[in-house]
Amino acid sequence: MDDYALSFWIYMGVMSVFIGSTLKKFLASHVSAVPSLVAWLGATLLVERLCAMCMPAVLALVAFCATCWLYSLLAAPSPVLPVEGKAVLITGCDSGFGLATAQRLDAMGFQVFATVLDADGEGAKLLRNICSPRLTLLQVDITQPQQVQQALINTKAKLGMKGLWALVNNAGVCVNFGDAELSLMSNYRGCMEVNFFGTVCITKTFLPLLRQNKGRIVTISSPSGEQPFPCLASYGASKAALNLFINTIRHELEPWGVKVSTIFPSAFKTGQSSNTEYWEKKYQHLLQNLSPSLLEEYGEDYVMETKDLFQKHAKTAKEDLSPVVNTIVKALLSPQPQVRYYSGPGVGLMYFIYSYFPLSISDKFLQKLFLKKKVIPRALRKQNELNHIKDNNNDIISNNNNVTSKME
């Protein structure tokens, strides 16, 4: 009995490691590693059947797992392309991912063209102070075609006969605040102007230089462009439009040898997200511009809770931007870059649930993950109160009728 129990626990332990490794591989790479995932699952089932038929197969399974583990330790790292002679244009380098990426690529030896909104801002000053003379700052508002064209002229003058190796589409804004009905039309237009039209403009403008070098386009998108995050309608819609554009040109540019990748980060502290004053201004601006009837139906406390939840979510976001910067570097230097990258804690699990679970479960997961709202709109509260009073009255009438019937 003891021998059987020992064999059973060895079997369970090894199978747990094996299946856990399979799930970890799947969550880390999602769609990009489907063939290898199928192979892992097939091997798991095969070994499981062998173990079920005869316990000595457990020893074979242990040996197999040990071999796989040793191979993963000793296997050569994935090859990367050389950095020398490669030029990269990065948009939105005033702060966040753009600023961090510009610093990293410059330190690696890339010739970096970093676009900023404010050439005298803190981000621009930092890049001037710590980066090499190879880095070129370009003051560009990507929503202004004239400025984008001037950036192309300046970039060509610096590159000479060289083409551009890569464009990193990082510039973006999230001016969304509140439910879709409460979001101002200026929010929708603001997000579309920067996240979609601006990115389309700069991508189209620099494509001739990228085609010349058979280069890369790397775009920072957002899971909210594919999943229905509460209170992110305008931002998510702009990213959804961007995703479709990028996927379309990915097919169209394949004959030219230009490789296109999209990165979907989890929550990180970027831009004004951790600025309390920023959220307060957004809140006051929304209150001043909402129609009185709409504000009456939702209630000021409902809007205030949304603001507080956005602030709370921003505080829990990761400060270390290196996971996204590392992913950008992979997309730039991998001989065969992935079409999609998922960067940051939890994003792989989120996509797994969204892709393979019923909508009822994935929707609840997103609501719990992002904004856990407790306050309901004022009009619904009043309706619930009326229904409650009505139900109580019905109960009283029903009880009176029962008493009358008994007396009769």
Side-chain angles (χ1 to χ4, degrees), residues 25-46:
K25 192 176 185 68
F26 176 74
L27 294 177
S29 53
H30 195 62
V31 179
S32 62
V34 169
S36 58
L37 172 66
V38 173
W40 272 77
L41 289 175
T44 303
L45 291 173
L46 176 61

Side-chain angles (χ1 to χ4, degrees), residues 242-267:
L242 175 63
N243 291 345
L244 185 59
F245 170 73
I246 293 298
N247 274 325
T248 302
I249 64 170
R250 176 172 59 84
H251 292 291
E252 296 172 349
L253 294 175
E254 189 174 354
W256 294 91
V258 177
K259 293 180 170 59
V260 179
S261 299
T262 305
I263 297 174
F264 298 88
S266 58

Side-chain angles (χ1 to χ4, degrees), residues 199-213:
T199 304
V200 169
C201 178
I202 202 158
T203 302
K204 282 169 57 65
T205 301
F206 281 86
L207 260 178
L209 293 182
L210 294 168
R211 287 191 286 103
Q212 178 185 335
N213 244 12

